[in-house]
Amino acid sequence: MLDSKLLRTQLQDVADRLATRGYQLDVARIEALEAQRKTVQTRTEQLQAERNARSKSIGQAKQRGEDIAPLLADVDRMASELEAGKQELEGIQAELDQLMLTLPNLPHESVPVGKDEDENVEVRRWGTPKSFDFPVQDHVALGEQHGWLDFETAAKLSGARFALMRGPIARLHRALAQFMLDLHTREHGYEEAYTPYLVQAPALQGTGQLPKFEEDLFKITREGEADFYLIPTAEVSLTNIVAGEILDAKQLPLKFVAHTPCFRSEAGASGRDTRGMIRQHQFDKVEMVQIVEPSQSFEALESLTANAEKVLQLLELPYRVLALCTGDMGFGATKTYDLEVWVPSQDKYREISSCSNCGDFQARRMQARYRNPETGKPELVHTLNGSGLAVGRTLVAVLENYQQADGSVRVPEVLKPYMAGIEVIG
């Protein structure tokens, strides 16, 4: 959530910056609500002062033996008007608060301005895509040849956009997640967490999925109790660990990592990546979250991105890093790097991780703060998140980049300790 003070003092600047994201801020509506709020507040304050004065005069009139009935009636009338004014103010503020929840984060000044993904800026590349001297197969064909990657049975169980993995491919999927967790906890300083897969609405509002993206979530309605939502990413549960907290500065930075399934309805994705594991309703992800002091967040973004890159480097998978432009960033991000891994069957790079600095945007929604040691006052923390990595998409990249002419797949060297002696699949 943006700072409401910015909308009161720098409304046009906020509108201009949001416009670079393709978001048109209703400036006139905000100005009208603010003007209405000020008018009602001024009237209410004047009425309160008048009521206080009238109440004081009642005692004086009573001492003089005067009839105080008209004064009492006046005070009662003012009390009713004050209550009406209070309710009107609450209604105006509720509308402003609801509007604030729909506003995306402001892009950082270092973010390239652009309309869509075509205007993202490539920052660097690592590795060289392999040249194959045989016809390349995609991960679906490679996985289905022995029935180890089964979309037909998954569809029988759950419908489209699900996968059933068996045998060595299921083990390879597990090995990837275990390798990522070990790397991030042993070498990158993250604390492993196991989080709930079901959360309530306030957690999703805290990280920005609600109210704007409810159609992308799987919801479980419970009669007489709060609704549950299946997490779309462990970012939700990990980041909300600090919701409502005032942390000691000595606790920062906090670095969490978790391996969870993720659940997304993929609303609006009809017809996109319908074949295979690129875009599914259920997929696994190893998620990294950092909670840091504001002055450290952009340095932390570089570190977080490097942590995700290390996974691809150790797997020896070619990739590139993109700085997302203003028009392609996620709702809560102030700056984002995307990692895209090389997918041979598509002859292009595909997203495998997004690493974002959200600044104080999520922290303000969650009221997540730390006590500034210099001032002694609570201030909002900054939050960051990134995939380290999406396990299913990493599996896709491994299957395709490590395939051999006979359709078998070599196991990457770094994964062999996790594969119980299996060096080739197929």
Side-chain angles (χ1 to χ4, degrees), residues 63-105:
Q63 287 178 346
R64 294 193 297 267
E66 298 174 1
D67 181 10
I68 61 172
L71 294 174
L72 288 171
D74 234 10
V75 168
D76 287 344
R77 174 186 59 79
M78 290 179 187
S80 297
E81 290 181 11
L82 278 170
E83 181 59 31
K86 179 184 176 183
Q87 291 181 6
E88 188 176 359
L89 273 176
E90 288 176 350
I92 295 168
Q93 191 59 53
E95 187 171 348
L96 281 168
D97 290 344
Q98 194 60 33
L99 188 151
M100 291 292 291
L101 287 173
T102 67
L103 303 184
N105 203 353

Side-chain angles (χ1 to χ4, degrees), residues 60-286:
Q60 296 170 343
K62 194 173 183 180
Q63 287 178 346
R64 294 193 297 267
E66 298 174 1
D67 181 10
I68 61 172
L71 294 174
L72 288 171
D74 234 10
V75 168
D76 287 344
R77 174 186 59 79
M78 290 179 187
S80 297
E81 290 181 11
L82 278 170
E83 181 59 31
K86 179 184 176 183
Q87 291 181 6
E88 188 176 359
L89 273 176
E90 288 176 350
I92 295 168
Q93 191 59 53
E95 187 171 348
L96 281 168
D97 290 344
Q98 194 60 33
L99 188 151
M100 291 292 291
L101 287 173
T102 67
L103 303 184
N105 203 353
L106 297 177
H108 187 257
E109 59 187 14
S110 64
V111 174
V113 175
K115 293 180 181 179
D116 53 36
E117 62 183 14
D118 292 333
E119 297 186 68
N120 293 336
V121 176
E122 185 173 313
V123 177
R124 57 184 170 272
R125 292 190 181 198
W126 187 94
T128 303
K130 179 182 176 181
S131 296
F132 294 89
D133 57 5
F134 55 85
V136 170
Q137 298 187 69
D138 69 6
H139 67 282
V140 177
L142 291 165
E144 285 184 336
Q145 60 184 330
H146 298 293
W148 293 330
L149 187 55
D150 187 346
F151 295 98
E152 185 176 337
T153 301
K156 179 179 70 174
L157 297 172
S158 305
R161 296 190 186 273
F162 290 90
L164 172 66
M165 289 176 276
R166 297 169 58 180
I169 283 185
R171 186 172 193 117
L172 182 59
H173 184 267
R174 175 162 59 93
L176 282 165
Q178 186 66 56
F179 157 64
M180 293 174 195
L181 284 174
D182 286 348
L183 176 65
H184 296 317
T185 55
R186 294 174 183 175
E187 297 187 24
H188 297 155
Y190 290 82
E191 177 186 349
E192 185 174 351
Y194 175 84
T195 76
Y197 302 160
L198 295 168
V199 295
Q200 295 180 6
L204 289 152
Q205 180 174 297
T207 46
Q209 282 80 14
L210 287 179
K212 187 173 178 59
F213 301 105
E214 183 158 9
E215 66 174 3
D216 292 323
L217 303 170
F218 286 108
K219 181 178 179 179
I220 300 173
T221 302
R222 301 189 298 165
E223 188 174 350
E225 295 187 72
D227 294 336
F228 275 145
Y229 293 83
L230 287 161
I231 58 170
T233 164
E235 170 200 341
V236 176
S237 40
L238 289 174
T239 309
N240 274 279
I241 290 174
V242 298
E245 300 290 329
I246 300 178
L247 304 167
D248 191 302
K250 294 179 181 177
Q251 294 176 262
L252 302 177
L254 290 172
K255 299 170 68 174
F256 300 119
V257 64
H259 166 220
T260 69
C262 306
F263 305 90
R264 299 183 186 178
S265 71
E266 293 295 344
S270 178
R272 296 175 59 194
D273 295 312
T274 54
R275 179 176 169 84
M277 297 181 65
I278 296 293
R279 194 178 300 275
Q280 299 207 294
H281 290 313
Q282 176 186 316
F283 58 96
D284 280 41
K285 190 147 65 80
V286 171

Side-chain angles (χ1 to χ4, degrees), residues 292-294 360 363-365 367-370 378-382:
V292 304
E293 291 185 37
D360 61 12
R364 184 172 287 106
R365 297 167 81 105
Q367 279 303 291
R369 296 170 289 172
Y370 80 108
E379 296 181 13
L380 295 170
V381 297
H382 281 195

Side-chain angles (χ1 to χ4, degrees), residues 43 51 117 127 130 143 177 184 217 222 226 230 248 304 362 389 392-393 404 408 426:
R43 186 175 74 239
R51 182 172 181 264
E117 62 183 14
K130 179 182 176 181
H184 296 317
L217 303 170
R222 301 189 298 165
L230 287 161
D248 191 302
L304 183 87
Q362 293 179 327
L389 303 164
R393 292 194 178 194
Q404 302 185 107
S408 62

